[in-house]
């Protein structure tokens, strides 16, 4: 991955749209070189747009619910020291748990929890050795309550919200910061992808993803 040698380097997952896209844009505006990951081919268009800010931007279309996808992302970093990890990848799944295919529920679990923890482990260890780095994890206010109709999603976010606070405590004296962004309902493609557009929450007013991302980014800094 090319670089001017002086720019900080950030990895942003789930960067093709919504909060992840806005986080990636903020990183580009702040002079970060970027490695962007998403499971959508539109991630290439995002990378092309963000290169106009002058930094190096590499895009990877990859499924971070799979070991092979995680390994591809890690390989794409090419051993470069990571100054910031913005772990935003995640998705939901509407409907009752017993009415869902287990493979679909597991994909939510593997994306939101297993894939996120893999990256935190790989990146966090290296940041701790360097005694420098910033981690921003996108949790959710949905993690504060059970969510009938999106049972697995809410449970994964409860895990992530709790895990982020514990990791922050473990790294308190390490030089590595951990910030957890806890958005409420936000105007992204989440509700359509999760099959929740016809729900009360899906039809309710939502926050602007640019505003949500800015709050998280500034807190991380």
């Amino acid at each position: 991955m090319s670089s001017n040698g002086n720019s900080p380097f950030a990895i942003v997952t789930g960067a093709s749209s919504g909060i992840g896209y806005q986080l990636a844009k903020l990183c580009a505006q702040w002079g970060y070189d970027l490695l962007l990951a998403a499971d959508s081919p539109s991630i290439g268009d995002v990378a092309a747009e963000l290169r106009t800010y002058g930094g190096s931007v590499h895009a990877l279309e990859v499924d971070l619910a799979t070991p092979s996808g995680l390994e591809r992302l890690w390989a794409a970093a090419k051993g470069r020291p990571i100054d910031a990890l913005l772990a935003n990848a995640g998705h939901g799944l509407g409907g009752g748990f017993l009415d869902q295919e287990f493979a679909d529920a597991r994909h939510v679990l593997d994306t939101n929890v297993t894939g996120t923890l893999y990256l935190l482990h790989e990146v966090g260890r290296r940041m701790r050795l360097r005694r420098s780095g910033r981690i921003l994890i996108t949790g959710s206010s949905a993690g504060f309550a059970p969510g009938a109709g999106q049972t697995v999603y809410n449970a994964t976010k409860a895990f992530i919200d709790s895990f982020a606070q514990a990791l922050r405590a473990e790294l308190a004296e390490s030089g590595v910061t951990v910030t957890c962004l806890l958005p409420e309902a936000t105007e992204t493609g989440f509700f359509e992808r999760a099959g929740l557009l016809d729900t009360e929450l899906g039809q309710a007013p939502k926050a602007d993803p640019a505003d949500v991302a800015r709050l998280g980014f500034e807190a991380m800094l």
Side-chain angles (χ1 to χ4, degrees):
M1 183 178 301
S2 63
S3 167
N4 63 17
N6 298 313
S7 299
F9 176 48
I11 294 176
V12 186
T13 65
S16 61
S17 63
I19 295 170
Y21 161 74
Q22 296 293 342
L23 288 171
K25 186 176 180 180
L26 286 164
C27 285
Q29 291 171 342
W30 276 72
Y32 283 88
D33 287 341
L34 290 170
L35 171 57
L36 307 179
D39 61 359
S40 167
S42 64
I43 193 64
D45 296 331
V46 171
E49 175 192 343
L50 298 187
R51 288 187 192 107
T52 62
Y53 291 97
S56 166
V57 184
H58 180 68
L60 192 65
E61 182 184 349
V62 65
D63 184 354
L64 296 179
T66 66
S68 61
L70 291 163
E71 290 164 6
R72 283 182 59 209
L73 175 60
W74 192 241
K78 298 183 178 178
R80 182 171 175 183
I82 298 160
D83 298 287
L85 169 64
L86 294 88
N88 174 77
H91 69 90
L93 181 64
F97 174 63
L98 298 182
D99 300 320
Q100 297 163 349
E101 294 298 323
F102 185 72
D104 295 333
R106 180 172 178 174
H107 193 268
V108 173
L109 181 66
D110 287 343
T111 302
N112 297 5
V113 175
T114 308
T116 299
L117 262 61
Y118 173 91
L119 291 177
L120 292 172
H121 195 260
E122 292 291 339
V123 175
R125 279 185 162 186
R126 288 159 176 80
M127 286 181 171
R128 186 178 63 177
L129 282 173
R130 293 167 50 220
R131 299 194 62 80
S132 176
R134 301 179 189 275
I135 295 170
L136 176 63
I137 304 166
T138 301
S140 175
S141 60
F144 297 138
Q150 47 182 358
T151 315
V152 176
Y153 174 78
N154 280 41
T156 63
K157 288 303 183 179
F159 181 100
I160 289 298
D161 294 350
S162 173
F163 182 88
Q165 293 182 62
L167 182 63
R168 178 188 179 98
E170 290 180 355
L171 292 174
E173 305 299 326
S174 70
V176 181
T177 67
V178 178
T179 305
C180 188
L181 177 59
L182 299 169
E184 297 185 352
T186 305
E187 193 63 63
T188 70
F190 170 87
F191 293 92
E192 179 178 6
R193 182 171 179 177
L196 294 168
L197 285 178
D198 60 350
T199 65
E200 183 178 352
L201 184 60
Q203 297 179 23
K206 300 174 184 63
D208 184 334
D211 294 337
V212 173
R214 185 173 295 104
L215 286 170
F217 188 80
E218 291 176 353
M220 180 190 77
L221 294 180

